[in-house]
Amino acid sequence: MANLVQFGRTLRQAGLSVGIDAQRDFLRVVTLLGVARRADLKAAGRALFTRRRDERPIYDAAFDLFFRRAPLAAAPATRLPRIARRRRAEPTDPTAGREAAVTADLPIVQVGASVVERLRTKDFAELSPEEAREARAMIASLQPSLPRRPARRPNVRRSGRRLAMRTMLRRSLRTGGEVLDWRWHRRATRPRPIVLVLDISGSMERYSRFLLRFAHALSRVAAPVEVFVFGTRLTRVTRELRRRDADVALDRVAHTVVDWSGGTRIGASLRTLNRRWVRRTVRSGAVVLLVSDGWERDDPGLLAREMATLRRSCRRLIWLDPLAGRPGFEPATQGLRAALPYVDEFLPCGTLASLEDLAHQLVATRRGEP
């Protein structure tokens, strides 16, 4: 997957406009076709990444350059944009095709596992602008495994353990009361609701936008997801994050929220959540993800009381702290000390690896939970 992210970056350096949605669709194509069917893979990528006829030779050269079988030591990334400039600036030059062909013969450097792993484990606050773009693309490609719960109504199938008598009798009316079509009840499940409450105060500024993109990835999955942000007040941004494009969704959130990068009032924000939104959004079977570094400027006793109320209203309460993964970290802030007694799990969320782990840990249930 990291190599495919690098392939999109290579296309952008060549002058093509490559979006996250196109990269995600190309990843699905690779999953279905594999890399052995190179001609079909190339044709599918051409349909996804090119919009004009003059972009096709650029894409073909970049594809052949990237998917070479024997990677060598030279780096062609700096020469790929020249292909685009020659194609567009000198269309009548008879030597342009030969120059592009010579450039296309340059070797490709694949992304090493160590580079990808370093990006996965690097703190969001320490990412360079280029690494931040790669991190945003990797967050958008996450496919979280969501927790599920038993549905009230079972599914009716052709196999199972318990006969679906009502369905069978109803179907027997077509055959004069004779049961010919046997049906069985099978246990059905549905996704658990997820509520993400994100701290966007000044101390969380370096992490909040990455975590909002993670919330957008959660909202793209077929599950009821509610998203709230808070600094000095609580704001519901579920509707804003329903946009398909993550950049557009975050722009809408930025125009909606008025207390971005301000102070922190966790207790007061949770009180608004408990009084106004719990019955409509949280519900008893929900998994609540509370993201904050715990810097509380109000009374910690208020935070403790509201955490206790929220814990009684949900199935699981998980506190995510972007600083928790750092060496030597201790929950020393007053907010964390007041909240941790009411938390089921306390997890880090400051790196790509921690978000990937969280995306898979959401399916974990506590002992005795249905």
Side-chain angles (χ1 to χ4, degrees), residues 12-124:
R12 285 191 291 270
Q13 289 178 335
L16 301 182
S17 178
V18 178
I20 294 178
D21 291 337
Q23 285 186 265
R24 187 183 299 110
D25 294 338
F26 187 68
L27 176 60
R28 295 172 182 169
V29 170
V30 174
T31 304
L32 293 174
L33 299 180
V35 296
R37 300 172 59 178
R38 194 174 299 266
D40 295 340
L41 188 63
K42 184 177 182 179
R46 187 185 298 114
L48 290 171
F49 296 128
T50 61
R51 300 177 183 178
R52 300 189 304 271
R53 182 175 299 179
D54 60 341
E55 291 180 345
R56 296 177 184 176
I58 304 171
Y59 166 80
D60 292 339
F63 183 93
D64 295 337
L65 184 62
F66 190 86
F67 287 93
R68 291 179 62 90
R69 294 184 178 274
L72 299 178
T78 56
R79 302 202 181 190
L80 277 175
R82 300 179 185 176
I83 300 176
R85 289 197 293 268
R86 290 193 186 104
R87 294 286 187 180
R88 295 173 183 173
E90 305 175 21
T92 58
D93 187 358
T95 64
R98 292 194 297 271
E99 292 176 356
V102 171
T103 307
D105 287 336
L106 291 173
I108 180 65
V109 175
Q110 300 288 351
V111 179
S114 60
V115 177
V116 176
E117 185 63 24
R118 185 164 59 250
L119 179 60
R120 289 181 63 253
T121 57
K122 193 172 184 179
D123 194 280
F124 289 142

Side-chain angles (χ1 to χ4, degrees), residues 217-294:
L218 283 177
S219 64
R220 295 292 306 278
V221 186
V225 177
E226 290 285 344
V227 183
F228 298 87
V229 296
F230 69 90
T232 57
R233 68 186 71 180
L234 186 75
T235 306
R236 185 190 183 203
V237 294
T238 304
R239 294 182 179 178
E240 286 75 8
L241 287 177
R242 287 175 183 168
R243 291 300 183 99
R244 183 177 182 86
D245 187 271
D247 293 327
V248 176
L250 263 66
D251 288 341
R252 289 172 59 89
V253 171
H255 285 87
T256 302
V257 178
V258 297
D259 55 342
W260 200 289
S261 299
T264 311
R265 300 181 63 194
I266 308 177
S269 300
L270 292 184
R271 181 172 56 188
T272 303
L273 179 67
N274 290 327
R275 303 298 185 274
R276 182 179 179 183
W277 296 105
V278 159
R279 291 187 178 181
R280 285 187 281 177
T281 60
V282 176
R283 289 165 284 184
S284 60
V287 177
V288 178
L289 307 176
L290 181 56
V291 187
S292 177
D293 54 4

Side-chain angles (χ1 to χ4, degrees), residues 196-200 204 207-209 211-212 215 227-231 289-292:
L196 180 65
V197 187
L198 174 61
D199 186 349
I200 56 169
M204 289 284 294
Y207 302 96
S208 56
R209 294 188 180 274
L211 294 167
L212 274 175
V227 183
F228 298 87
V229 296
F230 69 90
L289 307 176
L290 181 56
V291 187
S292 177

Side-chain angles (χ1 to χ4, degrees), residues 10 61 63 66 85 96 146 175 201 214 281 332 349 357:
T10 302
F63 183 93
F66 190 86
R85 289 197 293 268
L146 297 180
T175 56
S201 61
F214 178 73
T281 60
C349 63
D357 293 340

